[in-house]
Amino acid sequence: MIKQELFGMTLQEMQDTLLPLGMKKFRAEQVFRWLYEKAANSFEEMTNLSKNDINILQENFTLITNEIEVLRDLKSNDGLTHKVLLGFPDGTSVETVCMHHDYGYSVCLSSQVGCSMGCTFCASGLHGLERNLTCGEILAQVYYFQRFLAMQEARVSRVVLMGSGEPMLNLDNVLKALDILHEEHGQCIGYRNMTISTCGVIPGIRKMTEMGRTINLAISLHAASDELRTSLMPINKTYNYLEVIKAADEYATENGRQVMYEYILLAGINDSIEDAKILANTMKHKNVVINLIPANPVPEKGFMRPSGNAVDRFFKALKEQKINVTVRKEMGKEIDAACGQLRASTLVGGE
Ligand code: SAH
């Protein structure tokens, strides 16, 4: 008999699945709490269940959290950034990063194995899309770290969907995972402490608007003209950036959250004063924040990081136009913390 995956089920799904196997309704709640509140990754740990119930669980279910293999494990020199390449039983792998900020622990999650978007500066799409992650696989990335943190009475208090993949193309699984993380008897993370980043898939943004959650929305903009953006991000041909900004404005109005725009600075490509002026014009009078990201070089693609001076110049040009702008705090550069880089280097047998 093929065992079913239990990790990633909602409470309702657990009740619907466990009841027919002869387990009591309140047992589903206990299992839910073991998995999502206490970060258990085996059934034997569930000490308030009867021996018989543990047997039923062992005979019928698997836990992906227990089957994940850590293929690479890297810590930054300052110890604040911890990046892992997690392998799933089917041989696929994704990167997950845990960052220790002054406000707590934040985990950067992948939503897909690989990516189909083909952004030219990004390592995640180098080998195309393999598949969507399941809800359980998205959650398992959080609990991989939470399990260690729980031992130190610490917890993951923020998640961002900025790892590999395009979350809007796997939105049902992403939102289901975020809803489970939000549960009071789970990880209990507020929606305001969750961020979904998209390259601009408008139907996904609209769906999030309809759902009305206070999840933060981040848009990977990277260029504020059609020609340049299309050359960097093929998705701009399907969903033009001006339409994307309009959809994001609607999200901000309906859901009451300020939208963040990510702008990777690529040396000699989108980092001139002229580019800054075009960007400032596009964003003028909007209640948004622009996060500048000095690019991590992706050698396979020939992209370079601008000098510190060039970053300062761009930053100041936006400030002068009264644009709300920040430069991304760099964490873990020495461990290839930008999305997709670790997996890409492993796939080509690099390092
Ligand atoms: N597909 C979604 C989610 C992935 S997040 C999206 O596009 O938003 C992708 C983010 O990874 C980008 O916005 C950027 O912040 C970062 N990124 C990708 N390639 C990078 C590179 N070469 N250097 C620095 N950051 C990079």
Side-chain angles (χ1 to χ4, degrees):
M1 190 189 70
I2 297 176
K3 293 185 183 182
Q4 210 182 339
E5 179 56 49
L6 193 67
F7 199 81
M9 285 190 192
T10 62
L11 178 59
Q12 185 67 52
E13 287 170 343
M14 285 187 193
Q15 287 169 346
D16 294 346
T17 314
L18 299 184
L19 246 60
L21 297 173
M23 288 176 68
K24 297 254 167 24
K25 194 172 170 192
F26 75 96
R27 293 294 188 199
E29 271 163 55
Q30 289 176 323
V31 173
F32 186 93
R33 292 180 79 148
W34 275 111
L35 294 179
Y36 302 133
E37 192 170 56
K38 302 193 192 93
N41 71 352
S42 71
F43 297 119
E44 301 89 83
E45 282 169 73
M46 303 182 179
T47 45
N48 58 358
L49 300 191
S50 67
K51 190 92 197 74
N52 189 40
D53 284 339
I54 290 178
N55 279 341
I56 293 176
L57 293 173
Q58 283 171 331
E59 275 165 26
N60 291 281
F61 301 100
T62 51
L63 290 175
I64 187 71
T65 41
N66 194 30
E67 299 195 343
I68 279 177
E69 203 185 328
V70 184
L71 301 175
R72 303 284 302 277
D73 190 324
L74 301 169
K75 272 202 174 129
S76 61
N77 298 336
D78 60 13
L80 298 178
T81 308
H82 187 177
K83 176 163 187 163
V84 286
L85 181 66
L86 300 176
F88 297 119
D90 69 349
T92 59
S93 58
V94 295
E95 287 161 57
T96 310
V97 187
C98 183
M99 287 155 288
H100 190 180
H101 296 284
D102 40 15
Y103 53 75
Y105 289 90
S106 173
V107 175
C108 177
L109 301 172
S110 293
S111 54
Q112 298 181 312
V113 181
C115 186
S116 60
M117 295 290 90
C119 298
T120 50
F121 48 80
C122 180
S124 296
L126 280 177
H127 303 272
L129 174 71
E130 267 192 62
R131 65 173 178 85
N132 277 339
L133 293 184
T134 63
C135 170
E137 289 166 338
I138 296 168
L139 280 176
Q141 298 172 65
V142 177
Y143 284 93
Y144 172 76
F145 289 105
Q146 178 56 33
R147 204 168 152 75
F148 291 111
L149 291 175
M151 293 172 201
Q152 314 158 27
E153 313 249 320
R155 63 184 275 269
V156 176
S157 59
R158 282 183 197 225
V159 292
V160 297
L161 270 297
M162 290 188 189
S164 67
E166 171 47 51
M168 296 301 185
L169 297 181
N170 188 17
L171 193 55
D172 289 344
N173 287 339
V174 166
L175 289 177
K176 185 177 173 192
L178 296 183
D179 281 348
I180 290 175
L181 289 172
H182 181 71
E183 287 283 340
E184 191 189 342
H185 296 305
Q187 192 63 19
C188 201
I189 303 179
Y191 287 124
R192 285 159 191 265
N193 292 327
M194 305 177 180
T195 301
I196 295 184
S197 178
T198 176
C199 62
V201 179
I202 294 178
I205 299 173
R206 295 220 173 106
K207 180 158 186 215
M208 281 183 65
T209 307
E210 274 165 32
M211 295 191 76
R213 308 237 201 296
T214 52
I215 295 170
N216 299 303
L217 177 66
I219 306 283
S220 293
L221 190 67
H222 308 324
S225 77
D226 257 331
E227 200 185 344
L228 182 57
R229 193 166 192 269
T230 298
S231 73
L232 294 173
M233 305 173 73
I235 188 73
N236 194 61
K237 282 181 273 184
T238 313
Y239 302 115
N240 175 268
Y241 75 103
L242 292 172
E243 295 292 323
V244 174
I245 293 171
K246 212 168 113 202
D249 282 347
E250 280 161 19
Y251 183 83
T253 310
E254 296 292 322
N255 300 39
R257 302 301 288 157
Q258 184 187 51
V259 173
M260 179 173 89
Y261 285 87
E262 297 157 275
Y263 192 100
I264 294 187
L265 288 168
L266 303 158
I269 293 174
N270 66 354
D271 65 340
S272 70
I273 293 279
E274 201 43 46
D275 291 312
K277 284 186 183 151
I278 297 171
L279 179 60
N281 267 336
T282 312
M283 293 299 167
K284 216 155 181 97
H285 309 306
K286 287 188 190 294
N287 176 22
V288 300
V289 59
I290 295 178
N291 193 216
L292 300 177
I293 308 164
N296 279 325
V298 176
E300 299 90 327
K301 302 284 185 91
F303 285 107
M304 304 295 286
R305 162 188 299 243
S307 67
N309 279 346
V311 175
D312 281 352
R313 200 179 55 192
F314 199 92
F315 177 84
K316 285 191 185 120
L318 290 176
K319 271 273 173 217
E320 274 164 22
Q321 304 290 321
K322 311 245 179 316
I323 301 288
N324 193 2
V325 56
T326 55
V327 178
R328 181 165 293 177
K329 189 178 156 208
E330 205 159 15
M331 297 184 80
K333 188 172 60 157
E334 71 276 19
I335 56 168
D336 274 356
C339 75
Q341 294 192 327
L342 186 59
R343 175 170 169 268
S345 70
T346 304
L347 282 179
V348 297
E351 289 183 287

XYZ file of all heavy atoms in Angstrom, residues 3-40:
320
model
N 1.831 4.782 1.006
C 1.509 5.662 2.133
C 1.199 7.062 1.637
O 1.742 7.508 0.632
C 2.685 5.703 3.111
C 2.926 4.385 3.820
C 4.029 4.543 4.844
C 4.328 3.215 5.515
N 5.366 3.337 6.547
N 0.326 7.751 2.391
C -0.073 9.111 2.033
C 0.799 10.109 2.801
O 1.236 9.810 3.920
C -1.538 9.285 2.459
C -2.314 10.250 1.609
C -3.743 10.403 2.119
O -4.268 9.544 2.836
N -4.368 11.497 1.758
N 1.020 11.271 2.202
C 1.809 12.297 2.893
C 0.897 13.069 3.852
O -0.135 13.596 3.450
C 2.453 13.242 1.875
C 3.278 14.363 2.479
C 4.400 13.883 3.408
O 5.158 12.985 3.025
O 4.491 14.421 4.543
N 1.287 13.111 5.114
C 0.460 13.795 6.110
C 0.860 15.260 6.269
O 0.022 16.133 6.512
C 0.599 13.081 7.464
C -0.415 13.457 8.527
C -1.816 12.988 8.139
C -0.038 12.854 9.886
N 2.156 15.536 6.094
C 2.661 16.897 6.312
C 2.192 17.796 5.172
O 2.423 17.506 3.999
C 4.189 16.889 6.397
C 4.737 18.111 7.062
C 4.768 18.214 8.435
C 5.197 19.177 6.314
C 5.257 19.349 9.064
C 5.689 20.319 6.924
C 5.719 20.394 8.309
N 1.534 18.872 5.529
C 0.964 19.769 4.510
C -0.559 19.724 4.530
O -1.206 20.528 3.865
N -1.147 18.787 5.305
C -2.612 18.758 5.414
C -3.078 19.827 6.399
O -2.409 20.098 7.403
C -3.094 17.400 5.931
C -3.040 16.294 4.911
S -3.920 14.849 5.562
C -3.409 13.614 4.370
N -4.254 20.404 6.116
C -4.891 21.306 7.071
C -5.519 20.463 8.188
O -5.616 19.231 8.064
C -6.015 22.111 6.397
O -6.999 21.174 5.928
C -5.497 22.926 5.231
N -6.004 21.128 9.242
C -6.669 20.400 10.326
C -7.873 19.635 9.792
O -8.080 18.466 10.105
C -7.094 21.380 11.427
C -7.839 20.745 12.594
C -6.992 19.674 13.278
C -8.256 21.816 13.611
N -8.663 20.318 8.961
C -9.845 19.675 8.385
C -9.455 18.426 7.581
O -10.070 17.370 7.718
C -10.561 20.686 7.471
C -11.872 20.199 6.887
C -12.943 20.000 7.951
O -13.204 20.899 8.727
N -13.529 18.815 7.990
N -8.423 18.549 6.789
C -7.977 17.398 5.983
C -7.498 16.255 6.872
O -7.748 15.085 6.584
C -6.856 17.819 5.017
C -7.361 18.669 3.850
C -6.249 19.296 3.023
O -5.081 19.360 3.499
O -6.539 19.762 1.905
N -6.832 16.607 7.964
C -6.378 15.555 8.883
C -7.575 14.848 9.509
O -7.611 13.625 9.620
C -5.494 16.146 9.990
C -4.107 16.492 9.500
S -3.049 16.985 10.865
C -1.679 17.672 9.931
N -8.573 15.642 9.898
C -9.776 15.031 10.492
C -10.436 14.097 9.481
O -10.772 12.959 9.795
C -10.755 16.113 10.941
C -10.272 16.843 12.182
C -11.079 18.103 12.498
O -11.835 18.593 11.672
N -10.889 18.629 13.701
N -10.598 14.589 8.255
C -11.258 13.783 7.217
C -10.481 12.511 6.909
O -11.046 11.514 6.496
C -11.409 14.604 5.922
C -12.354 15.780 6.110
O -13.079 15.798 7.135
O -12.363 16.681 5.248
N -9.162 12.553 7.081
C -8.322 11.403 6.733
C -8.185 10.429 7.899
O -8.162 9.211 7.705
C -6.909 11.893 6.311
O -7.062 12.986 5.414
C -6.126 10.805 5.610
N -8.095 10.972 9.122
C -7.809 10.108 10.275
C -9.065 9.427 10.841
O -8.995 8.297 11.329
C -7.099 10.908 11.380
C -5.740 11.514 10.990
C -5.084 12.199 12.186
C -4.799 10.456 10.412
N -10.192 10.137 10.737
C -11.436 9.558 11.278
C -11.779 8.197 10.674
O -12.023 7.229 11.405
C -12.610 10.539 11.103
C -13.211 11.105 12.393
C -12.190 11.887 13.206
C -14.406 12.012 12.069
N -11.773 8.063 9.349
C -12.105 6.764 8.744
C -11.128 5.650 9.131
O -11.437 4.474 8.966
C -12.026 7.037 7.236
C -12.114 8.510 7.085
C -11.536 9.100 8.329
N -9.955 6.013 9.637
C -8.981 4.991 10.043
C -9.195 4.572 11.493
O -8.435 3.788 12.049
C -7.553 5.524 9.871
C -7.136 5.856 8.435
C -5.764 6.526 8.417
C -7.113 4.602 7.580
N -10.233 5.157 12.108
C -10.577 4.741 13.466
C -9.995 5.634 14.541
O -10.086 5.331 15.728
N -9.383 6.759 14.149
C -8.851 7.658 15.171
C -9.909 8.678 15.566
O -10.738 9.067 14.774
C -7.585 8.368 14.655
C -6.397 7.414 14.571
S -4.895 8.140 13.855
C -4.420 9.331 15.098
N -9.862 9.106 16.815
C -10.845 10.072 17.318
C -10.564 11.461 16.746
O -9.421 11.790 16.405
C -10.754 10.151 18.846
C -11.087 8.841 19.541
C -12.452 8.957 20.171
C -13.067 7.664 20.643
N -12.211 6.547 20.962
N -11.630 12.297 16.709
C -11.483 13.622 16.116
C -10.407 14.463 16.826
O -9.612 15.141 16.191
C -12.835 14.337 16.163
C -12.865 15.564 15.290
C -14.256 16.150 15.188
C -14.182 17.500 14.500
N -15.416 18.257 14.613
N -10.387 14.396 18.146
C -9.416 15.242 18.875
C -7.969 14.810 18.618
O -7.039 15.573 18.817
C -9.726 15.294 20.375
C -9.359 14.049 21.135
C -8.143 13.978 21.809
C -10.219 12.967 21.198
C -7.793 12.838 22.526
C -9.870 11.819 21.905
C -8.656 11.754 22.568
N -7.808 13.569 18.136
C -6.445 13.112 17.813
C -5.865 13.901 16.641
O -4.669 14.166 16.598
C -6.454 11.615 17.450
C -6.808 10.693 18.588
C -5.747 10.727 19.663
N -5.989 9.715 20.679
C -5.454 9.750 21.886
N -4.662 10.747 22.235
N -5.701 8.803 22.752
N -6.749 14.263 15.690
C -6.274 15.047 14.540
C -5.689 16.368 15.030
O -4.645 16.820 14.549
C -7.405 15.286 13.550
N -6.375 16.972 16.010
C -5.858 18.237 16.566
C -4.493 18.036 17.228
O -3.604 18.874 17.115
C -6.830 18.793 17.606
C -7.873 19.690 16.987
C -9.051 19.893 17.915
O -8.831 20.319 19.064
O -10.182 19.618 17.463
N -4.371 16.910 17.925
C -3.080 16.644 18.581
C -1.964 16.462 17.548
O -0.868 17.001 17.707
C -3.192 15.393 19.467
C -4.037 15.646 20.710
C -4.214 14.376 21.539
O -4.354 13.274 20.999
N -4.223 14.546 22.849
N -2.287 15.717 16.501
C -1.272 15.495 15.454
C -0.904 16.828 14.805
O 0.272 17.134 14.585
C -1.794 14.495 14.390
C -0.825 14.402 13.217
C -2.021 13.120 15.014
N -1.938 17.636 14.521
C -1.715 18.958 13.928
C -0.727 19.751 14.776
O 0.235 20.337 14.275
C -3.063 19.688 13.822
C -2.995 21.012 13.104
C -3.246 21.095 11.740
C -2.700 22.190 13.793
C -3.188 22.312 11.073
C -2.649 23.410 13.135
C -2.891 23.474 11.770
N -0.949 19.768 16.069
C -0.080 20.550 16.956
C 1.337 19.972 17.035
O 2.303 20.717 17.101
C -0.700 20.666 18.345
C -1.955 21.511 18.319
C -2.597 21.636 19.673
N -1.895 22.620 20.480
C -2.506 23.371 21.396
N -3.801 23.257 21.602
N -1.816 24.232 22.110
N 1.422 18.653 17.012
C 2.767 18.059 17.022
C 3.566 18.503 15.798
O 4.743 18.840 15.889
C 2.685 16.528 17.049
C 2.532 15.973 18.438
C 1.453 15.362 18.967
C 3.521 16.005 19.475
N 1.686 15.012 20.271
C 2.956 15.391 20.610
C 4.830 16.494 19.567
C 3.648 15.250 21.812
C 5.526 16.350 20.767
C 4.937 15.738 21.880
N 2.895 18.496 14.659
C 3.610 18.807 13.418
C 3.910 20.296 13.279
O 5.027 20.678 12.946
C 2.810 18.334 12.203
C 2.641 16.822 12.074
C 1.816 16.495 10.842
C 4.007 16.129 11.996
N 2.880 21.131 13.526
C 3.021 22.544 13.162
C 3.338 23.470 14.334
O 3.744 24.605 14.131
C 1.752 23.031 12.456
C 1.410 22.241 11.209
C 0.111 21.789 10.988
C 2.377 21.959 10.248
C -0.223 21.081 9.834
C 2.061 21.252 9.097
C 0.763 20.815 8.900
O 0.449 20.117 7.768
N 3.124 23.003 15.564
C 3.449 23.837 16.724
C 4.764 23.372 17.343
O 5.602 24.170 17.724
C 2.319 23.730 17.754
C 2.389 24.744 18.871
C 1.104 24.714 19.708
O 0.753 23.623 20.219
O 0.451 25.752 19.831
N 4.914 22.030 17.400
C 6.103 21.502 18.089
C 7.174 21.020 17.123
O 8.225 20.534 17.555
C 5.679 20.375 19.022
C 4.648 20.806 20.068
C 4.487 19.763 21.162
C 3.285 20.034 22.037
N 2.055 19.341 21.608
N 6.917 21.119 15.838
C 7.904 20.765 14.805
C 8.386 19.312 14.906
O 9.557 19.015 14.628
C 9.092 21.735 14.830
N 7.497 18.411 15.288
C 7.865 16.989 15.327
C 8.083 16.487 13.907
O 7.390 16.919 12.986
C 6.751 16.181 15.992
